[in-house]
Amino acid sequence: MFKQKKLFELFRTVLAIVIALIIALITILFASEEPGRALSLFLFGPMDSLRHFGNVLEMMIPLLFTGLAVSLMFSAAQFNLGAEGAFFLGGISATAVAINQNLIPFVHPVLSILAGGLAGAVFCGIPALLKVKWNASELVSSLMFNYVALFLGLYLINYYMRDVDAGAMVSFRLAETSKLVKLIPGTRVHFGLIIAALTVVAGYYFMYRTRWGYRIRLTGLNSSFARYSGIRTASVIILSQVLGGFIAGSGGAIEILGMYRRFSWQSLPGYGWDGIIVAILARNNPALIPVGAFFLAYLRIGADLMARSSDVQSEVVYIIQGVMIVLIAAESFLAHYRHKLVYREARKSATTGE
Amino acid sequence: MNNITKVYPNGIVANEGVDFSLRKGEIHALVGENGAGKSTLMKILFGLEHPEEGEILLKGNPINIGSPNVAIEHGIGMVHQHFMLVPSLTVAENMVLGSEPRKGLYVNIKKASTETLELSRKYNLAVDPSARIRDLPVGIKQKVEILKALYRGAEILILDEPTAVLTPQETKELFEELHLLKEQGSTIIFISHKLHEIKELCDRLTIMRNGRSQGVFNVADVTEKDISRLMVGRDVILEVEKGPASPAAVSLKVEDLTVVNDFGKKAVNNISFSVRKGEILGVAGVEGNGQSELVEILTGLQRINFGSVEIEGVNIAGKSIKDIRNLGTCHIPEDRMTYGVAETLDIEQNLLADKHDSSRFTGRILTKPKIIRENSLKLIEEYKIKCGSPLEEVKMLSGGNIQKVVVAREFSVEPKLIIADQPTRGIDVGATEFIRKRLVELRDEGSAVLLVSADLNEVLELSDSLIVMYNGEITAYIEDVKSLGEEELGLFMLGINKQSDSEIGRALHV
Amino acid sequence: MSDFFNIIFSVDFGYAVLRVTTPILFAAMGALISDKAGVINIALEGMMLIAALTGVIVSALAQSAGLGLLAAVIVGALVGMILAYFALNLKTDVILAAIAINLIAMGGTVFILFMVGGDKGISSSLPSKVLPRIDIPLLKSIPVVGPILSGHNILTYMAFLSVWVMYIFIYKTPLGLRIRAVGENPDAADSVGISVRKIQYIALTLSGALAGFGGAYMSMGYVSWFSKNMTAGRGFIALAAEAMGGATPHGAMFTSLLFGLFDALSNSLQTLRVPAEFIQMIPYLATVIGLVIYAANKTEQIKRIQAQKERQAGTKTEKGKTT
Amino acid sequence: GGQQSSEDAPMDDVLKIVLILNGTLGDKSFFDSADNGMKLIKDKYGDKVLVKTIEMNYDETKWEPTLLDVAEQDWDIVIMGTWQMTEMLQEAAPDYPDKKFIIFDTEVDYSLPDMDNIYSITYKQNEASFLAGALAARVTTSDMPLANPEKMIGFLGGMDIPVINDFLIGYIEGAQYIDKDIKVAVSYIGSFDDSAKGKEMSLAQYSQGADIGYNVAGQAGLGQLDAAKDADRYAIGVDSDQAELFLSTDPAKAELITTSVLKRVDNSLLRAIDLHMAGKAPWGSSEILGFEEEAVGFAENDIYMKVVPAEIREEMDMLQKKIIDGDIVVSSAFGMSSSEIQALRDSVSP
Ligand SMILES: Nc1ncnc2c1ncn2[C@@H]1O[C@H](COP(=O)(O)OP(=O)(O)OP(=O)(O)O)[C@@H](O)[C@H]1O
Ligand SMILES: Nc1ncnc2c1ncn2[C@@H]1O[C@H](COP(=O)(O)OP(=O)(O)OP(=O)(O)O)[C@@H](O)[C@H]1O
Ligand SMILES: [Mg+2]
Ligand SMILES: [Mg+2]
């Protein structure tokens, strides 16, 4: 029965993807004169060369961080959308350390990442503090703080870190000592992937195997019960948001150190929202975060390759992404058939059981 | 209802080939253990759930009840086990919700109010149409629920455990009203775990067990013992056997305690008492006379305003809930779904809530899954929690089994002081028997027990001594409960009689 | 500094505040109605964007601003239904579904703009129409107040009217009653034969329609074209305004105005000698500060009352003891 | 996507040119203009060339893979723009010595080894902006129908960043060249998308006394044109001839756009291919193009002729000549620190 249900889940997911692909194909038919080629680029492009597959892994790295960060924050039932701002500020703070030319390797990236993490922690901690102290909606405050983070970050770059010899608003070059080493030759996959993997594993153990994770989950599921059980829910809420912010901030730092020569974001990079997608797909379970992140990254890279190498408009990929995400997350999709299966099984076991 | 079979999406077969029939104008009881499938069957009749098999006949005609709307059209009304009211709306608004009288584009609130009043007069169920639901006590809410069904023209009225939250007085009143309804031609289905109520009120009864019907009986033909045997499949001891108490040192001492609630009212007014190891002190009283506030103070859920509370010799002022628990206190909360469990968490993790960080279950950093599993399996077996595995979500359990999860967790700390607030509310006779027995066992092992219950039988049966609360004050301290009659207790509970200060002062055991 | 006061006490400034507030107010009403029915609608941003494009295309094709507005509102409502379908029928997490809609809106509007207008940035090649401005005869002639309140786009008036309509709708009509019941206790609504799903469908559809008004204002009132991502976060700000306004029509209006005020201020204050980034921060920071002051006030008030009651009760207890 | 697909290119004597944009089309600015350059090339050379435009979007992490992808594919010339691409190109180009690269609006560092397959093009947008500033100064002090007595002009920037400030500095210098007392109200939108906010800010400038504004904010700057119509004031467009955008759909608005400062990336790319075809392309070096090469310019359309009085137009022609001849030297924001720019802004702030 259990196995059959799992099989059914697999079938359901596959079918959802197929339907999403059909919708994608229809959209592509409108946009392209060579829909077959476009679709195959979309589906298989990311696997047709090491570099392209590398692109998928590269993109996964920030998604792993923000996905984990969001799932940690949501686990405490806090609708904190600050991962976006934390990621951005994380990048800024890391830059402030990384443009320093007088540090030694290893220590340099560690310090930069810590700086990024701290910035993120403070940033996501503030809405939590306002919530706990005055019951101010964390949704509203974090949403607004994201914009504040953007403009604050731009100010810091513009007035303190901008390289005036560069032809754009970018920071000074990051010191070579601060960069994260590349892991796979021929791609830009960097050491951040290993940090991300370790963080996710640690995140899983933290959430499901430590007292703190337990407290966070319990507080998120039923805070009255958690309080009754002797848990100080206020500090648990703050802890979860600070930790989530730290992870998002480190993610921003690692993205900058691994992928950039200089800090050059001029708007919020959007990984916070992506993190929400990943976290919801993974149902806030760190163990499933890599699956969600891989899915989203693959989708994005495939779509990019399609837009780049075929005649499909790059905007079409947003439509396809949206449809795919929605269908795959649709819990009641085929629920009717699932119930029939359950019913048949129950009857069978009832009759054989007697 | 013929041959009804219902399988929930999680694969649980809640009803299996159930036949159920009603005669016009009768009060028909539906009884069974927790999770036997009573609520499910009624939800099917009311269109909230849809059976996989079976048919429903009304006056001989097959009908298809696709939604509550259809049920209402057919004159079926339901009062649910848990209140189905919107707290921020008024009584009148709740009454008419879904079939509002209109004036132009607007809801005709005036008409709603007058109709509510008329109805409440007609059936002798007094309510104030303009009061907000959130401000009402449970007894009134229950009346609103019944009126709601009647407003929609219910001829068949389903009452799913309406008395679980009522005081004896309120129950009595409700029964009078139900009789009145019956006389006026209504048919009533009555679900309860309190067998004496069924004996008192009902004409016939259907017994369910494990999703199947065990048959229909005339209430007059069966005894309470028969019913419980048919429900549980064995004999149930309806009275707890318990030896005399041997009280030892004081465990809990409350002195001059006053609690001011959010409305500035003194919910608890200058009370003093103590509980000794090896005794069960009952707190009797009509609900809403300060018992909940008292328990909140004792367990640290609320801060102490005035007075002092000592547990095991430690003053708990300024202590956290955790500190209080560490003194050896455990707490069975009144509202198990809010304070007792996290519904979507599995049983095992729920059993761990208060001791997740004890060194037994958690090392320096990581938890110890093996020991945790051993613990949960042991408790599930010991407390006979009916479930598929420790990893099942708590919300999949029936109310009684959820209560067992709470009790198992709370009792598994070798408690020095047990604060049991309505420990058997709404659970079946089997589970009730079990929990009561455990309480007595723990007393005999030397725990101090403070038992708060609105169920007079329970208080009288279980307690060694007793305080009665009325209007936030203690009106009586009864040292030996056996000497007390129900009548006498009632007078204390209603505040008509009050002992002298010195008599009450004995509660402190100084 | 006198410049500063000249700016904020000018008629133009007052007028600007109302203009800036309009799209946010519509979307905030959209947020309100879905919130009341117990579903959070994060897709307002995408809905506005889609409606803004629709308004432009239809008004250009039909050569009628009215039809453009109608189409924008209908399409907004349709998107609301689509969100409802995914969230309620297919049980996709409503936040995820809304994020997906925002994604689709972001790319889809540009794609369609390109198909229709041959341009990816702006719809200037389409002869689209704008909605008229309205002078209010009597009001107009009152000094100061007149020029601030009169002569706005018709949608500005409709936005403020919608607050009142919303109030009546939610608190006085049967449907409003049902929406509130569904939002607060869906099981209770279900048990009296109200279809929770239907009510939430209606609420999300109305929410989409209101966002549609906001979107139409952006492209057919505020400016006279559609451009890529032109809503620029207004849908999210509306969400914040609604939550901050305590989920009531008037509260949401008040907070929308507050945001409008600070936004207008930041638009006017750029000549102050402060880095632009700080001035750009003003509206957002002001919103958070507003929120915190409001929330803090409320909690402090509760604490104060509690303490006061305790004191009163305490003195009585003391007295009771001594006597 | 672009016009042709790459893979099925038949003959070897076809010159295959790809343009990779680190953004998206529709900016009404130099990405659109660059794309237009590809069209000009196609129109001129027909079957002898194969052209394609790829949008890489604004996510910077996607740019390098795309650059490497196209470098590996069968293209002869790879064109890209903006300073953000320089460092990537400097690293990639040496690995593909048989490919040619053109980078516009910036230049690579030719002191590095193996840069000889790269040709860099930059533009004198500050010089064109100088003219815009001078024109604005003349307009605000003129008795043209919509001008007011205040000596105040507006500047609407997208963000406080070097490229935008390069326009700003030329504009300020131009205005001050005409009259030292001219005040310049400077606003930055903080975004290149939010045209409503652009409109709001322009309205604020107009209501504070500016009677002509200059927008350098991509799509968001178009809000200024709407504001000009509402407030009945003048505007100056940027990058492309913005009056043309509205000439057919909203002539009344178009009439207020006195002129536009043009940055003709399209011309410069066509010129580059012309040079290449003639074997004269300066690979391995950089060129700064200005008025002479028609790489920057001043839209002298019908509206300009109609609205701007003849003596002002003559003066503009004269100034343009002075700039070309080097009699007037316009400063550049590149290389200035943020505080220096802030100080300059403050010095002309109203
Ligand atoms: N919504 C549901 N989803 C899954 N299983 C359910 C659901 N509702 C009930 N069940 C299962 O069906 C069985 C019968 O439940 P039902 O509500 O009919 O019991 P009951 O007789 O009313 O019990 P109680 O006395 O506790 O109210 C239970 O074992 C329960 O686990
Ligand atoms: N979502 C659910 N999933 C699984 N089972 C459920 C769910 N909701 C309710 N049940 C089951 O339905 C049954 C009845 O639910 P209900 O809430 O009526 O229990 P209950 O009546 O409170 O039990 P009791 O009679 O002991 O008070 C219970 O057995 C419960 O286990
Ligand atoms: Mg039940
Ligand atoms: Mg002037």
PDB file of all heavy atoms in Angstrom, chain B residues 330-347:
ATOM      1  N   CYS B 330       3.142  18.476  36.388  1.00  0.00           N
ATOM      2  CA  CYS B 330       2.637  18.202  35.048  1.00  0.00           C
ATOM      3  C   CYS B 330       1.225  18.738  34.947  1.00  0.00           C
ATOM      4  O   CYS B 330       0.589  19.023  35.959  1.00  0.00           O
ATOM      5  CB  CYS B 330       2.720  16.726  34.713  1.00  0.00           C
ATOM      6  SG  CYS B 330       1.457  15.753  35.514  1.00  0.00           S
ATOM      7  N   HIS B 331       0.750  18.876  33.720  1.00  0.00           N
ATOM      8  CA  HIS B 331      -0.483  19.628  33.497  1.00  0.00           C
ATOM      9  C   HIS B 331      -1.268  18.999  32.355  1.00  0.00           C
ATOM     10  O   HIS B 331      -0.773  18.904  31.232  1.00  0.00           O
ATOM     11  CB  HIS B 331      -0.087  21.082  33.165  1.00  0.00           C
ATOM     12  CG  HIS B 331      -1.239  21.944  32.751  1.00  0.00           C
ATOM     13  ND1 HIS B 331      -1.072  23.111  32.060  1.00  0.00           N
ATOM     14  CD2 HIS B 331      -2.573  21.809  32.931  1.00  0.00           C
ATOM     15  CE1 HIS B 331      -2.255  23.658  31.827  1.00  0.00           C
ATOM     16  NE2 HIS B 331      -3.177  22.892  32.353  1.00  0.00           N
ATOM     17  N   ILE B 332      -2.452  18.559  32.656  1.00  0.00           N
ATOM     18  CA  ILE B 332      -3.344  18.115  31.579  1.00  0.00           C
ATOM     19  C   ILE B 332      -4.264  19.284  31.286  1.00  0.00           C
ATOM     20  O   ILE B 332      -5.072  19.675  32.131  1.00  0.00           O
ATOM     21  CB  ILE B 332      -4.179  16.899  32.009  1.00  0.00           C
ATOM     22  CG1 ILE B 332      -3.242  15.749  32.356  1.00  0.00           C
ATOM     23  CG2 ILE B 332      -5.138  16.496  30.891  1.00  0.00           C
ATOM     24  CD1 ILE B 332      -3.942  14.576  32.967  1.00  0.00           C
ATOM     25  N   PRO B 333      -4.112  19.892  30.112  1.00  0.00           N
ATOM     26  CA  PRO B 333      -4.831  21.140  29.877  1.00  0.00           C
ATOM     27  C   PRO B 333      -6.294  20.882  29.530  1.00  0.00           C
ATOM     28  O   PRO B 333      -6.661  19.809  29.060  1.00  0.00           O
ATOM     29  CB  PRO B 333      -4.096  21.751  28.692  1.00  0.00           C
ATOM     30  CG  PRO B 333      -3.579  20.570  27.944  1.00  0.00           C
ATOM     31  CD  PRO B 333      -3.305  19.502  28.951  1.00  0.00           C
ATOM     32  N   GLU B 334      -7.058  21.905  29.778  1.00  0.00           N
ATOM     33  CA  GLU B 334      -8.491  21.838  29.530  1.00  0.00           C
ATOM     34  C   GLU B 334      -8.776  21.709  28.041  1.00  0.00           C
ATOM     35  O   GLU B 334      -9.587  20.897  27.602  1.00  0.00           O
ATOM     36  CB  GLU B 334      -9.089  23.141  30.076  1.00  0.00           C
ATOM     37  CG  GLU B 334     -10.515  23.380  29.756  1.00  0.00           C
ATOM     38  CD  GLU B 334     -10.938  24.760  30.305  1.00  0.00           C
ATOM     39  OE1 GLU B 334     -10.088  25.662  30.413  1.00  0.00           O
ATOM     40  OE2 GLU B 334     -12.103  24.889  30.622  1.00  0.00           O
ATOM     41  N   ASP B 335      -8.057  22.521  27.242  1.00  0.00           N
ATOM     42  CA  ASP B 335      -8.315  22.550  25.802  1.00  0.00           C
ATOM     43  C   ASP B 335      -7.183  21.796  25.109  1.00  0.00           C
ATOM     44  O   ASP B 335      -6.135  22.340  24.829  1.00  0.00           O
ATOM     45  CB  ASP B 335      -8.346  24.015  25.355  1.00  0.00           C
ATOM     46  CG  ASP B 335      -8.567  24.136  23.856  1.00  0.00           C
ATOM     47  OD1 ASP B 335      -8.527  23.100  23.159  1.00  0.00           O
ATOM     48  OD2 ASP B 335      -8.770  25.271  23.391  1.00  0.00           O
ATOM     49  N   ARG B 336      -7.414  20.521  24.855  1.00  0.00           N
ATOM     50  CA  ARG B 336      -6.295  19.702  24.401  1.00  0.00           C
ATOM     51  C   ARG B 336      -5.819  20.083  23.010  1.00  0.00           C
ATOM     52  O   ARG B 336      -4.641  19.946  22.693  1.00  0.00           O
ATOM     53  CB  ARG B 336      -6.658  18.220  24.442  1.00  0.00           C
ATOM     54  CG  ARG B 336      -7.834  17.826  23.573  1.00  0.00           C
ATOM     55  CD  ARG B 336      -8.037  16.312  23.566  1.00  0.00           C
ATOM     56  NE  ARG B 336      -9.326  15.966  22.985  1.00  0.00           N
ATOM     57  CZ  ARG B 336     -10.411  15.649  23.684  1.00  0.00           C
ATOM     58  NH1 ARG B 336     -10.345  15.632  25.004  1.00  0.00           N
ATOM     59  NH2 ARG B 336     -11.535  15.356  23.081  1.00  0.00           N
ATOM     60  N   MET B 337      -6.712  20.583  22.166  1.00  0.00           N
ATOM     61  CA  MET B 337      -6.273  20.886  20.809  1.00  0.00           C
ATOM     62  C   MET B 337      -5.414  22.153  20.758  1.00  0.00           C
ATOM     63  O   MET B 337      -4.576  22.307  19.888  1.00  0.00           O
ATOM     64  CB  MET B 337      -7.471  21.029  19.856  1.00  0.00           C
ATOM     65  CG  MET B 337      -8.291  19.767  19.701  1.00  0.00           C
ATOM     66  SD  MET B 337      -7.323  18.243  19.651  1.00  0.00           S
ATOM     67  CE  MET B 337      -6.877  18.206  17.933  1.00  0.00           C
ATOM     68  N   THR B 338      -5.641  23.094  21.692  1.00  0.00           N
ATOM     69  CA  THR B 338      -4.830  24.310  21.697  1.00  0.00           C
ATOM     70  C   THR B 338      -3.551  24.129  22.490  1.00  0.00           C
ATOM     71  O   THR B 338      -2.481  24.510  22.053  1.00  0.00           O
ATOM     72  CB  THR B 338      -5.630  25.475  22.303  1.00  0.00           C
ATOM     73  OG1 THR B 338      -6.861  25.565  21.606  1.00  0.00           O
ATOM     74  CG2 THR B 338      -4.875  26.783  22.163  1.00  0.00           C
ATOM     75  N   TYR B 339      -3.675  23.525  23.676  1.00  0.00           N
ATOM     76  CA  TYR B 339      -2.504  23.463  24.549  1.00  0.00           C
ATOM     77  C   TYR B 339      -1.880  22.082  24.642  1.00  0.00           C
ATOM     78  O   TYR B 339      -0.749  21.937  25.067  1.00  0.00           O
ATOM     79  CB  TYR B 339      -2.868  23.940  25.954  1.00  0.00           C
ATOM     80  CG  TYR B 339      -3.109  25.412  26.008  1.00  0.00           C
ATOM     81  CD1 TYR B 339      -4.387  25.932  26.112  1.00  0.00           C
ATOM     82  CD2 TYR B 339      -2.039  26.293  25.921  1.00  0.00           C
ATOM     83  CE1 TYR B 339      -4.601  27.294  26.140  1.00  0.00           C
ATOM     84  CE2 TYR B 339      -2.241  27.654  25.956  1.00  0.00           C
ATOM     85  CZ  TYR B 339      -3.526  28.149  26.058  1.00  0.00           C
ATOM     86  OH  TYR B 339      -3.729  29.495  26.081  1.00  0.00           O
ATOM     87  N   GLY B 340      -2.658  21.067  24.245  1.00  0.00           N
ATOM     88  CA  GLY B 340      -2.183  19.725  24.525  1.00  0.00           C
ATOM     89  C   GLY B 340      -1.350  19.070  23.457  1.00  0.00           C
ATOM     90  O   GLY B 340      -0.524  18.206  23.748  1.00  0.00           O
ATOM     91  N   VAL B 341      -1.588  19.430  22.205  1.00  0.00           N
ATOM     92  CA  VAL B 341      -0.872  18.771  21.113  1.00  0.00           C
ATOM     93  C   VAL B 341      -0.628  19.733  19.958  1.00  0.00           C
ATOM     94  O   VAL B 341      -1.260  20.775  19.857  1.00  0.00           O
ATOM     95  CB  VAL B 341      -1.690  17.582  20.528  1.00  0.00           C
ATOM     96  CG1 VAL B 341      -1.729  16.409  21.473  1.00  0.00           C
ATOM     97  CG2 VAL B 341      -3.080  18.025  20.122  1.00  0.00           C
ATOM     98  N   ALA B 342       0.328  19.343  19.104  1.00  0.00           N
ATOM     99  CA  ALA B 342       0.437  19.974  17.794  1.00  0.00           C
ATOM    100  C   ALA B 342      -0.154  18.971  16.815  1.00  0.00           C
ATOM    101  O   ALA B 342       0.403  17.898  16.610  1.00  0.00           O
ATOM    102  CB  ALA B 342       1.888  20.268  17.456  1.00  0.00           C
ATOM    103  N   GLU B 343      -1.300  19.331  16.249  1.00  0.00           N
ATOM    104  CA  GLU B 343      -2.081  18.374  15.466  1.00  0.00           C
ATOM    105  C   GLU B 343      -1.312  17.716  14.324  1.00  0.00           C
ATOM    106  O   GLU B 343      -1.471  16.536  14.049  1.00  0.00           O
ATOM    107  CB  GLU B 343      -3.262  19.093  14.818  1.00  0.00           C
ATOM    108  CG  GLU B 343      -4.403  19.379  15.721  1.00  0.00           C
ATOM    109  CD  GLU B 343      -5.517  20.010  14.929  1.00  0.00           C
ATOM    110  OE1 GLU B 343      -6.275  19.265  14.296  1.00  0.00           O
ATOM    111  OE2 GLU B 343      -5.595  21.261  14.916  1.00  0.00           O
ATOM    112  N   THR B 344      -0.506  18.535  13.619  1.00  0.00           N
ATOM    113  CA  THR B 344       0.109  18.002  12.419  1.00  0.00           C
ATOM    114  C   THR B 344       1.459  17.356  12.697  1.00  0.00           C
ATOM    115  O   THR B 344       2.170  16.969  11.783  1.00  0.00           O
ATOM    116  CB  THR B 344       0.293  19.112  11.372  1.00  0.00           C
ATOM    117  OG1 THR B 344       0.893  20.230  12.009  1.00  0.00           O
ATOM    118  CG2 THR B 344      -1.028  19.524  10.781  1.00  0.00           C
ATOM    119  N   LEU B 345       1.797  17.257  13.956  1.00  0.00           N
ATOM    120  CA  LEU B 345       3.050  16.608  14.312  1.00  0.00           C
ATOM    121  C   LEU B 345       2.732  15.151  14.668  1.00  0.00           C
ATOM    122  O   LEU B 345       1.628  14.845  15.113  1.00  0.00           O
ATOM    123  CB  LEU B 345       3.644  17.341  15.513  1.00  0.00           C
ATOM    124  CG  LEU B 345       5.118  17.160  15.788  1.00  0.00           C
ATOM    125  CD1 LEU B 345       5.940  17.674  14.622  1.00  0.00           C
ATOM    126  CD2 LEU B 345       5.507  17.939  17.045  1.00  0.00           C
ATOM    127  N   ASP B 346       3.721  14.265  14.502  1.00  0.00           N
ATOM    128  CA  ASP B 346       3.414  12.858  14.778  1.00  0.00           C
ATOM    129  C   ASP B 346       3.319  12.588  16.285  1.00  0.00           C
ATOM    130  O   ASP B 346       3.681  13.424  17.115  1.00  0.00           O
ATOM    131  CB  ASP B 346       4.410  11.928  14.094  1.00  0.00           C
ATOM    132  CG  ASP B 346       5.836  12.179  14.548  1.00  0.00           C
ATOM    133  OD1 ASP B 346       6.026  12.377  15.758  1.00  0.00           O
ATOM    134  OD2 ASP B 346       6.733  12.189  13.695  1.00  0.00           O
ATOM    135  N   ILE B 347       2.814  11.430  16.612  1.00  0.00           N
ATOM    136  CA  ILE B 347       2.574  11.084  18.015  1.00  0.00           C
ATOM    137  C   ILE B 347       3.878  11.114  18.799  1.00  0.00           C
ATOM    138  O   ILE B 347       3.967  11.680  19.893  1.00  0.00           O
ATOM    139  CB  ILE B 347       1.946   9.672  18.108  1.00  0.00           C
ATOM    140  CG1 ILE B 347       0.597   9.666  17.381  1.00  0.00           C
ATOM    141  CG2 ILE B 347       1.780   9.241  19.547  1.00  0.00           C
ATOM    142  CD1 ILE B 347      -0.001   8.284  17.249  1.00  0.00           C
TER     143      ILE B 347
END
